[in-house]
Amino acid sequence: MLAEEVAAAGLTVTLDGGHRFDTLPAVTATTAFHVVREALTNVLRHSGASRVDVVLQEEPEQVRVRVSDNGEGEHAAHSQAPGWGIIGMRERVELTGGKLTAAPGSRGFVVDAILPVPTGGGEP
């Protein structure tokens, strides 16, 4: 649904990884969803992109969420400071024990989050 809303706004959106949020522990799924939602919002508001790629990659003890666009990443890098959206994403990810980077890529901007997947029935 989220990807469809962004596509309706005029961006080409690709989803890769075939992973669904509902198969993850709640804290991981919620955090991943919020990262994707905020990153897509930032693409719409700030990048001037025509395309955005969302990749969810599950590994044995973590999930990587990457949102990258083909917009004006260099322009964003020269802005005064990270916006509240990036700060909020970083804080949310760090609360789970994960790590978030948000920076210009080779073309456009890349948000990359690594989220731990709790095991043994407990969540962090």
Side-chain angles (χ1 to χ4, degrees), residues 20-112:
R20 296 183 48 164
F21 292 123
D22 61 1
T23 63
L24 296 170
V27 69
T28 307
T30 301
T31 303
F33 177 80
H34 283 289
V35 167
V36 171
R37 181 181 67 192
E38 183 62 33
L40 290 175
T41 299
N42 287 346
V43 170
L44 285 172
R45 289 183 181 167
H46 306 294
S47 74
S50 62
R51 178 185 175 91
V52 62
D53 298 312
V54 178
V55 177
L56 299 172
Q57 181 181 7
E58 187 174 11
E59 298 170 7
E61 296 178 357
Q62 65 187 22
V63 171
R64 169 172 260 152
V65 179
R66 176 172 279 191
V67 181
S68 57
D69 66 63
N70 69 349
E72 299 173 11
E74 284 303 313
H75 175 71
H78 297 300
S79 66
Q80 296 175 348
W84 291 112
I86 291 173
I87 292 168
M89 282 189 286
R90 183 170 289 118
E91 289 175 352
R92 183 181 292 271
V93 167
E94 288 175 354
L95 282 172
T96 70
K99 182 180 178 188
L100 181 124
T101 58
S106 59
R107 172 81 174 125
F109 202 81
V110 178
V111 172
D112 194 19

